[in-house]
Amino acid sequence: MGTTGSADLIRAFNAVAASMEENRDHLCALDGVIGDADHGVAMELGFSAVRKALAELGDDASPTDVFNTAARAFLNAVGASSGPLYATAFMRAGAALKGKSGMDDTDAPEVIAAMAGGIAHRGKASPGDKTMLDAWTPAAEAATAAQGQAAAAVFAAAAKAAADGAETTKGMQAKMGRAARLGERAVGHVDPGAASAALVIAAFAGALA
Amino acid sequence: MGTTGSADLIRAFNAVAASMEENRDHLCALDGVIGDADHGVAMELGFSAVRKALAELGDDASPTDVFNTAARAFLNAVGASSGPLYATAFMRAGAALKGKSGMDDTDAPEVIAAMAGGIAHRGKASPGDKTMLDAWTPAAEAATAAQGQAAAAVFAAAAKAAADGAETTKGMQAKMGRAARLGERAVGHVDPGAASAALVIAAFAGALA
Amino acid sequence: MKTKKIINAGEDAVDEMLDGILLAHGDTLRASASSHRAIIARDGPRDGKVGLVIGGGSGHEPTFVGFVGKGLADAAAIGNVFASPPPDPALACAQEVSGGAGVLFMYGNYAGDVMNFDMAAEMAAMEDIEVRTVLTTDDIASAPPDAAETRRGVAGNFFIFKAAGAACDEMMSLDEVERVARHANARTYTMGVALSPCSLPQTRTPNFDIGPDEMEIGMGIHGEPGIARGPLMTADEITDDMMDRILSEMEASAGDRVAVLVNSLGSTPLMELYIMNRRVQARLADAGLTTHATWVGNYCTSLEMAGASVTVMRLDDELTRLIDRPCHCAMFRIV
Amino acid sequence: MKTKKIINAGEDAVDEMLDGILLAHGDTLRASASSHRAIIARDGPRDGKVGLVIGGGSGHEPTFVGFVGKGLADAAAIGNVFASPPPDPALACAQEVSGGAGVLFMYGNYAGDVMNFDMAAEMAAMEDIEVRTVLTTDDIASAPPDAAETRRGVAGNFFIFKAAGAACDEMMSLDEVERVARHANARTYTMGVALSPCSLPQTRTPNFDIGPDEMEIGMGIHGEPGIARGPLMTADEITDDMMDRILSEMEASAGDRVAVLVNSLGSTPLMELYIMNRRVQARLADAGLTTHATWVGNYCTSLEMAGASVTVMRLDDELTRLIDRPCHCAMFRIV
Ligand SMILES: Nc1ncnc2c1ncn2[C@@H]1O[C@H](COP(=O)(O)OP(=O)(O)O)[C@@H](O)[C@H]1O
Ligand SMILES: Nc1ncnc2c1ncn2[C@@H]1O[C@H](COP(=O)(O)OP(=O)(O)O)[C@@H](O)[C@H]1O
Ligand SMILES: [Mg+2]
Ligand SMILES: [Mg+2]
Ligand SMILES: [Mg+2]
Ligand SMILES: [Mg+2]
C-alpha cells in the first residue's frame, strides 16, 4: 500500500497551479457567459498563492499542515466564491488527515469526500444547482467506489467523474451563485466552477501517478 | 446688367445649406485629421439656422437684411471658430450692399471681397496660415478680376479660385486655429475651413446661375 | 488584441490603486495595520457608535472605498476586481471600527460576498464583536418581486449605505441601525442598461460580447447577463423603460418624495446621464412625485463599462433626514 | 457603424443635457432669461464682487458648468460640443453676474473661444460692464515653453478657475483677481495622454483613428493631435513621461508645495487614475515637493475618450489659501 507524503501533496498542488495558469483564459471565458468572467483569474491567483505558501513550508510539515496552509493562502488571495469554497474543502481534507505523516492510499477517498463535503457545507448548494458541487459530488462518489486502489487511481477515477459531472451542468439551470438569476439563459453552458473542479482533481491525479 | 434680389440671395443661402448637409461628414473627417472633427457639424448647423431664419424674413427684406439675418443666425447657432468668422463676413457683405434693393452684377466682386475682408479682420490670419482665408483671399482676387461679368460668373470664378486655394493649404503648416500646434504634422492635409469655403462659394455660384 | 488600460502588472492593479487612494486621501483614510485591504476612516471609532463596514469587489469605484468617512461608512473591505474580499480584511474592518455598540456589515447580495463576510462575522463573534448583516438587493432586474430578497445589490448601495451611515452617526443602536438599513434597502430601486463591456486588468479581454448596435437591459455591474437584449434605443426610450419598471414596483403615492441617482457604469459621460435625468424627472413629475435630491455621475461603476443605471429611493421623513445628514468621505461629500 | 450613446437626437444633446442639469441642480444653478446657454449661480451677484464667467464647448463636463457656484465661477457660457459658445450667452453671463466691480472672462485658449468671448466683451463694454480676459494655457504639450502663451487650456482650468473664483469670493478688485488668475495660470502644468477616441453626438463617428495598441501623448481635449504617438506603455512609464515634462518646466525647488489633479478624459476609470496617482506622488516626493492636496476623477473630460491627464499647480501661500477656500458648486465642493 502506498503513502503520499507532504512533498507529494505539494507537487500535486503545484501541478494544479500549472493547470490553472494554462486554463485561466478558458475558465474566464466560461464565466463570461453566465457569470462575471473572472473565474480563471481567481483559480490561477488562488493556486499560485498556494504554491508560494507551500514553498515556504518546512520539511517537517504534515499533510494537515499542507492542506491548512493551502486553505489560508487560497482564501486570502482570492475571496470571491471560490475562496471560501476551496478553503473549506482544504481545511476538511486537512482535518481528515489529522495526526498522519502521509496520506495512505486508503485515505484518498475520504480526503476527496471531505473536500466535497466542505464545499457543500460552505456553499449550501445541492447537486443539480449548476455549481462546482456537480463535479465534486460525483468525484467523491467515484473515489469512494475506487476505495482500495492506489491514491493516483482514486484521484483519476474522481477526475473522470468530475469531468462527466461538469459536462452535465450544461443542461442545468443555475440555483446558486451569479448565474442563478439567469434562469433558462444559463442552460447550454458549462458551469465554470464545475469545469475547474474537474481540472483540479485531474491535476492531482496526474501528479500522484 | 443683372440684379440679384433678396429672394435670389435666400435661394443661394439655401443652396449652401443643402451643400453643407451633403458634405458634413466629409468636412468632419477633414477636421478630424488636424482639428477636432466638428467642422462639418458647425457648417451644417450654421447654414440650416440661416435657412430657417431667412424663411421667416418678410418679402420686403433688403439684401442687407438678408446678410445681417444670416450673420446673426449663423453666429448664434454655431459659436466655434466658424461662427464669428462667417458672421463677420456676412455683416460686411450686408454693409457693402447698404441701401440697395438688390445686388447688381457690378456689386458682386465687392461683396465677395467684403466677406474675405471680414474673415481676415475677425480671425487676424494671414494668407499662408492654412485657414479658410487661403480660400477666401484668392476668391476675392478672382472676383475682382471678373468685374463686369454677371454675378453668377463672378461667383463661379471665385469658387474656382477658392477650390484651388483650398488645395494649396495641403502644403502649408497651420499658424492659426486648432491645427496651429501641429507643425509639420498638418502638412499634407487640406484645411477643413478652406475646403468648406470653396463649397460655400460654389453653392452661391450654382444658385445664382 | 488586449484592451487598453493605464496599469502596470494586472495582478497589482488593486493594491496599486489602494496605494494611490491612500496617497490622495490620507487625511480621511488609512489602511488597517492588520490588512492592507481594510481601508479605515481616520474619523473613529467612536465609543458607543455602531461601526458600519461595507465592502465588495474592486472595480466599482468610488463604491466602496470612496464612501468611507465621517457620517457614512467607517471602513471598507476591498476584494480583487469583481471578487468579494476574503474574511481577513472584513474582520480587520470590524476590529478597527468597533466602538462597543456592535458592527453592521453591509454589502451587495452576491454568493461570494455572503460566504466571505459571514466567515468574518463568525470570527468577529469569537472576539466578542457583535456583527449584524444587511444585504443590499436594489437591482430590480435581477429577480422578480416575489424573490426580491435574492436580488443583487448595485448602485442603490449609495443611498442605502448613506442612510445606514447617517443612522450610525446619529448614534442609533445596532437594532435601530439594522432597521434603518433594511428599510432603506426595501425602498430603493435600481435599473441599469449596458452598452459595451469592460475587461479585467488581468485578462484585458471584454467580459461579454455585445453587437455594435445592441444594449442589454438589466445587466449586472460585473457584466452578469441581464433580462433583455435588443437594439440600442434613444435616451428617452431607455429611461422610460427603466422608469416604467421602477414606478410599477415602487408603489408610490402622489406627493411622495424621492431621491434619485443617475449613475454611469463607467464610460458613459455626464452629458448622457443628464439627458437621462431630464426624462427621469419628467416621469417622476408625471407620477406626482417630488424629487428631494438628485445625484448624477460615476457612483457605482464597472470599470470602463458603457451604460447607466437609475436608482430611485422612496423617502419618508426619517430617510430624508438621514440622506441629508452631512458626511465627509474621500470621494463624496454632503455639507 | 455609429458609436453607441444614450441620447435622443444628436443636435438636441446639449440643450437636453442643460435641462437635466437644471433639474438636478436647480438649488444652485439657473439659466439666464436672456440665453438658455448661460448658466448662472443662484448665489449672486454680490455688490462690489468681481463676477467670474467661464465657458467653452460642451463635452468636457463637469467643466465648465459644474464649476459654477458660490466661491468659484458665477456663470458659465455653454457652447455646442467642442465648440465655443457664441457671444450671446457670454454676454448674458456678464450681464447677470456683474456686481459693479467688473467681470473676468476665463476660458481655454482656443481660436474660436477667443473670437466669441472677445465679441461678447466688446458688447458688454458698450453696456458699461468692464470685462477683462485671462486665457488658460496649461497644456504644456501644445507648444514649447518659448511659446507658452499659445498653449491650450485643458484640465488645469480646474485649479486656475478655482483660484480666481476664490479671489472673487474674497472680494478682491478686478486688478487683483486678474493678477491672481494670470499667476495661477502661469503656475499650472498639465500633460495628457489619449488611448481611444470619442465621438460627437451628431456624427457618432470616432474623432480620430488610433491603433489597438497605441496611445498618443499630448492629445488635446477635443482630440487634436498631440506630440507623439507610440505603443501603449505601463502606468508608471506614462506617468514618468508626464512628470518628467512637468517637473522640467515647473522649476520647483525642494520644499515647494503643489496641488495635484489626476483627471480622466472620460472612460478611464478611477482605478487607473489612482494607479497613476501612486506614481505621481512618488515622483513629487523624489523631487522634494510636498503635495498639499490631490484631486482624482473626472474633472475635465472629452466625452467618452479614454485617457488621462496629470496637472500640477505650484503653490505659494496665496494660491494655497485660494485653493483651500470653500466653494459650493453643483458638481464640486470644498468644505
Ligand atoms: N453556493 C455555491 N456553492 C458551490 N459553488 C458555488 C456557489 N456559488 C458559486 N459557486 C461556484 O463558484 C463559481 C464561480 O466562482 P468565481 O467566478 O471564482 O466567483 P464569483 O462568482 O464570486 O465571481 C461558479 O461557477 C460555481 O461553480
Ligand atoms: N483665426 C482664424 N482665421 C481664419 N480662419 C480660421 C481661424 N481659426 C480657425 N479658422 C478656420 O476655422 C476652421 C475650423 O472651424 P471649426 O472646426 O468650425 O471650429 P473649431 O476649430 O472651433 O472647432 C479651420 O479649418 C480654419 O479654416
Ligand atoms: Mg466569477
Ligand atoms: Mg473644429
Ligand atoms: Mg467575481
Ligand atoms: Mg470645435
Side-chain angles (χ1 to χ4, degrees):
Chain A
M1 198 192 72
T3 298
T4 306
S6 292
D8 300 320
L9 288 172
I10 291 175
R11 250 193 324 105
F13 272 112
N14 292 348
V16 177
S19 170
M20 292 302 117
E21 233 168 80
E22 203 174 300
N23 289 286
R24 188 190 76 161
D25 291 347
H26 167 62
L27 294 172
C28 284
L30 290 180
D31 198 24
V33 179
I34 62 171
D36 62 348
D38 65 355
H39 185 60
V41 169
M43 295 299 282
E44 184 201 20
L45 186 66
F47 282 103
S48 88
V50 168
R51 175 169 49 196
K52 188 152 170 273
L54 294 181
E56 285 162 16
L57 272 186
D59 283 346
D60 56 345
S62 70
T64 301
D65 292 338
V66 170
F67 276 110
N68 283 350
T69 302
R72 253 193 316 275
F74 195 100
L75 182 60
N76 280 319
V78 169
S81 305
S82 343
L85 293 168
Y86 273 101
T88 310
F90 299 152
M91 241 129 54
R92 291 286 180 100
L97 296 172
K98 186 106 193 194
K100 306 200 70 159
S101 62
M103 172 176 79
D104 294 331
D105 286 347
T106 51
D107 295 331
E110 194 190 333
V111 164
I112 295 175
M115 292 204 266
I119 288 167
H121 167 80
R122 177 60 61 195
K124 301 194 179 58
S126 311
D129 283 356
K130 195 178 183 110
T131 70
M132 61 174 73
L133 209 57
D134 292 309
W136 276 103
T137 303
E141 288 164 6
T144 307
Q147 178 61 278
Q149 298 181 35
V154 172
F155 272 88
K160 167 84 180 58
D164 293 345
E167 196 56 29
T168 66
T169 63
K170 266 198 191 165
M172 302 174 184
Q173 285 193 27
K175 304 264 155 47
M176 284 281 173
R178 290 182 198 279
R181 286 99 175 183
L182 279 188
E184 291 284 325
R185 287 173 82 178
V187 175
H189 305 286
V190 173
D191 176 69
S196 65
L199 294 170
V200 167
I201 306 172
F204 250 87
L208 300 182
Chain B
M1 197 192 74
T3 298
T4 306
S6 291
D8 299 320
L9 287 172
I10 291 175
R11 251 192 323 105
F13 272 112
N14 292 349
V16 177
S19 169
M20 291 302 117
E21 233 168 82
E22 203 174 300
N23 289 286
R24 187 189 77 160
D25 290 348
H26 168 61
L27 295 172
C28 283
L30 290 181
D31 198 23
V33 180
I34 61 169
D36 62 348
D38 65 355
H39 185 60
V41 168
M43 294 300 281
E44 183 200 21
L45 185 67
F47 280 102
S48 88
V50 167
R51 175 169 48 197
K52 189 152 169 275
L54 294 181
E56 285 161 17
L57 271 187
D59 283 345
D60 55 345
S62 70
T64 300
D65 293 337
V66 170
F67 276 110
N68 283 350
T69 302
R72 254 192 316 275
F74 195 101
L75 182 60
N76 281 320
V78 169
S81 305
S82 342
L85 294 168
Y86 273 100
T88 310
F90 299 152
M91 244 132 50
R92 292 284 180 102
L97 295 172
K98 188 106 189 196
K100 307 200 71 160
S101 62
M103 172 177 78
D104 295 332
D105 286 347
T106 51
D107 295 331
E110 195 191 332
V111 164
I112 296 176
M115 293 204 266
I119 289 167
H121 169 80
R122 177 60 60 194
K124 301 193 179 59
S126 312
D129 283 355
K130 196 180 182 108
T131 71
M132 58 174 77
L133 208 58
D134 292 310
W136 277 102
T137 303
E141 289 165 5
T144 307
Q147 177 63 279
Q149 301 182 33
V154 171
F155 272 88
K160 167 84 180 58
D164 292 345
E167 195 57 29
T168 66
T169 63
K170 264 197 193 167
M172 302 175 183
Q173 286 194 26
K175 304 265 157 47
M176 284 280 170
R178 288 182 200 279
R181 284 101 177 182
L182 279 187
E184 291 284 324
R185 286 173 82 178
V187 175
H189 306 286
V190 174
D191 177 68
S196 65
L199 294 169
V200 167
I201 305 172
F204 251 85
L208 299 183
Chain C
M1 184 50 69
K2 298 283 179 206
T3 58
K4 291 180 188 178
K5 290 183 183 287
I6 306 181
I7 57 174
N8 299 306
E11 55 274 23
D12 297 335
V14 172
D15 290 317
E16 290 187 354
M17 169 186 76
L18 291 177
D19 288 348
I21 287 174
L22 292 172
L23 284 164
H25 310 299
D27 53 337
T28 50
L29 298 176
R30 63 181 175 84
S32 164
S34 49
S35 168
H36 65 289
R37 294 285 186 95
I39 305 297
I40 318 291
R42 286 209 180 268
D43 176 87
R46 221 185 302 164
D47 266 2
K49 185 179 107 51
V50 173
L52 177 62
V53 174
I54 61 176
S58 295
H60 307 301
E61 293 69 32
T63 297
F64 299 87
V65 63
F67 300 145
V68 175
K70 172 151 179 37
L72 223 157
D74 297 290
I78 308 299
N80 293 327
V81 176
F82 295 173
S84 165
D88 272 7
L91 174 63
C93 287
Q95 291 164 334
E96 295 264 9
V97 310
S98 170
V103 168
L104 184 65
F105 279 0
M106 290 187 80
Y107 50 90
N109 181 28
Y110 297 91
D113 295 86
V114 172
M115 288 188 269
N116 285 285
F117 277 94
D118 277 356
M119 288 173 81
E122 287 164 27
M123 290 150 83
M126 294 193 285
E127 300 179 15
D128 288 328
I129 301 172
E130 183 179 0
V131 174
R132 305 263 182 93
T133 296
V134 175
L135 303 176
T136 62
T137 58
D138 57 301
D139 182 1
I140 65 172
S142 57
D146 60 10
E149 73 289 351
T150 69
R151 287 174 171 170
R152 300 182 286 236
V154 289
N157 279 340
F158 169 70
F159 286 133
I160 306 165
F161 295 165
K162 175 70 184 75
C168 295
D169 196 46
E170 282 190 349
M171 303 298 280
M172 286 190 191
S173 70
L174 185 56
D175 280 347
E176 280 290 279
V177 171
E178 183 185 348
R179 177 190 60 74
V180 163
R182 291 193 194 286
H183 181 60
N185 181 57
R187 284 176 161 245
T188 301
Y189 306 85
T190 300
M191 266 296 303
V193 61
L195 271 56
S196 64
C198 61
S199 62
L200 303 182
Q202 294 100 326
T203 60
R204 290 172 54 195
T205 304
N207 64 343
F208 58 84
D209 289 323
I210 188 162
D213 52 0
E214 282 185 327
M215 61 175 203
E216 180 148 333
I217 293 179
M219 180 163 278
I221 55 169
H222 315 87
E224 303 96 328
I227 49 180
R229 187 169 282 207
L232 181 62
M233 301 190 296
T234 66
D236 284 355
E237 288 166 347
I238 290 170
T239 309
D240 279 345
D241 181 277
M242 292 173 165
M243 291 305 294
D244 286 345
R245 295 174 198 259
I246 289 172
L247 289 169
S248 87
E249 277 226 12
M250 200 167 65
E251 297 182 346
S253 325
D256 280 356
R257 274 165 310 159
V258 297
V260 173
L261 169 65
V262 184
N263 172 59
S264 171
L265 294 184
S267 61
T268 293
L270 282 177
M271 180 175 287
E272 300 176 32
L273 301 181
Y274 280 110
I275 290 173
M276 292 179 71
N277 182 53
R278 172 180 165 275
R279 188 71 176 188
V280 168
Q281 303 297 340
R283 291 297 307 272
L284 291 170
D286 282 352
L289 304 178
T290 303
T291 301
H292 174 71
T294 304
W295 283 269
V296 179
N298 292 32
Y299 286 85
C300 181
T301 61
S302 303
L303 295 172
E304 73 281 9
M305 203 187 286
S309 64
V310 172
T311 302
V312 182
M313 182 189 229
R314 190 155 68 87
L315 298 172
D316 55 19
D317 288 347
E318 181 179 53
L319 289 174
T320 306
R321 185 188 78 231
L322 295 170
I323 293 294
D324 285 349
R325 189 176 176 87
C327 68
H328 190 96
C329 302
M331 304 177 206
F332 177 66
R333 241 150 259 194
I334 291 183
V335 292
Chain D
M1 185 49 70
K2 298 284 178 203
T3 58
K4 292 181 188 177
K5 288 183 184 289
I6 307 182
I7 57 173
N8 299 305
E11 55 274 25
D12 297 335
V14 172
D15 290 316
E16 291 186 354
M17 169 185 77
L18 291 177
D19 288 349
I21 287 174
L22 293 172
L23 285 163
H25 309 299
D27 54 336
T28 49
L29 297 178
R30 63 182 176 83
S32 165
S34 50
S35 168
H36 65 288
R37 294 285 186 94
I39 305 297
I40 318 290
R42 286 208 181 270
D43 176 86
R46 220 187 301 165
D47 267 1
K49 184 180 110 47
V50 173
L52 178 62
V53 174
I54 60 176
S58 294
H60 306 302
E61 292 70 32
T63 297
F64 298 85
V65 62
F67 300 145
V68 175
K70 173 153 175 36
L72 222 157
D74 296 289
I78 309 297
N80 293 327
V81 176
F82 296 172
S84 165
D88 273 7
L91 175 63
C93 287
Q95 292 164 332
E96 295 264 10
V97 309
S98 168
V103 168
L104 183 67
F105 280 180
M106 290 186 80
Y107 50 89
N109 181 29
Y110 297 92
D113 295 86
V114 172
M115 287 188 268
N116 285 284
F117 277 93
D118 277 356
M119 288 173 82
E122 287 164 27
M123 291 150 84
M126 293 193 284
E127 300 179 17
D128 288 329
I129 302 172
E130 183 180 359
V131 174
R132 306 264 181 94
T133 297
V134 175
L135 303 176
T136 62
T137 59
D138 57 301
D139 183 1
I140 65 171
S142 56
D146 59 11
E149 72 291 349
T150 70
R151 287 174 173 172
R152 301 181 287 235
V154 289
N157 279 339
F158 169 71
F159 286 133
I160 306 164
F161 294 166
K162 175 70 185 73
C168 295
D169 196 46
E170 282 189 352
M171 303 297 281
M172 286 189 192
S173 69
L174 185 56
D175 279 347
E176 280 291 278
V177 171
E178 183 186 345
R179 177 190 58 75
V180 162
R182 291 193 194 285
H183 182 60
N185 181 58
R187 284 178 162 244
T188 301
Y189 306 85
T190 300
M191 266 297 303
V193 61
L195 272 56
S196 64
C198 60
S199 62
L200 303 182
Q202 295 99 324
T203 59
R204 290 172 55 197
T205 305
N207 64 343
F208 58 84
D209 289 322
I210 187 163
D213 52 1
E214 281 185 328
M215 62 174 203
E216 180 147 333
I217 292 179
M219 179 162 280
I221 57 170
H222 314 89
E224 301 96 329
I227 48 180
R229 187 169 282 208
L232 181 62
M233 302 189 296
T234 66
D236 284 355
E237 288 166 347
I238 291 170
T239 309
D240 279 344
D241 181 275
M242 292 174 164
M243 292 305 293
D244 285 345
R245 294 175 199 258
I246 290 172
L247 289 169
S248 86
E249 276 226 11
M250 200 165 67
E251 297 182 345
S253 326
D256 281 355
R257 276 164 311 159
V258 296
V260 173
L261 170 64
V262 184
N263 172 60
S264 172
L265 294 184
S267 61
T268 292
L270 282 177
M271 181 175 288
E272 299 175 32
L273 301 181
Y274 280 110
I275 290 173
M276 291 177 71
N277 182 52
R278 171 179 166 276
R279 188 71 175 188
V280 168
Q281 302 296 341
R283 291 297 306 272
L284 291 170
D286 282 352
L289 304 178
T290 304
T291 301
H292 174 71
T294 304
W295 284 269
V296 180
N298 292 31
Y299 287 84
C300 182
T301 62
S302 304
L303 295 171
E304 73 281 11
M305 203 187 287
S309 64
V310 172
T311 302
V312 182
M313 183 189 227
R314 190 155 67 88
L315 298 172
D316 54 19
D317 289 346
E318 181 179 53
L319 289 174
T320 305
R321 184 188 79 231
L322 295 170
I323 292 294
D324 284 349
R325 188 175 176 88
C327 68
H328 189 95
C329 303
M331 306 177 204
F332 176 66
R333 241 150 259 193
I334 290 182
V335 293

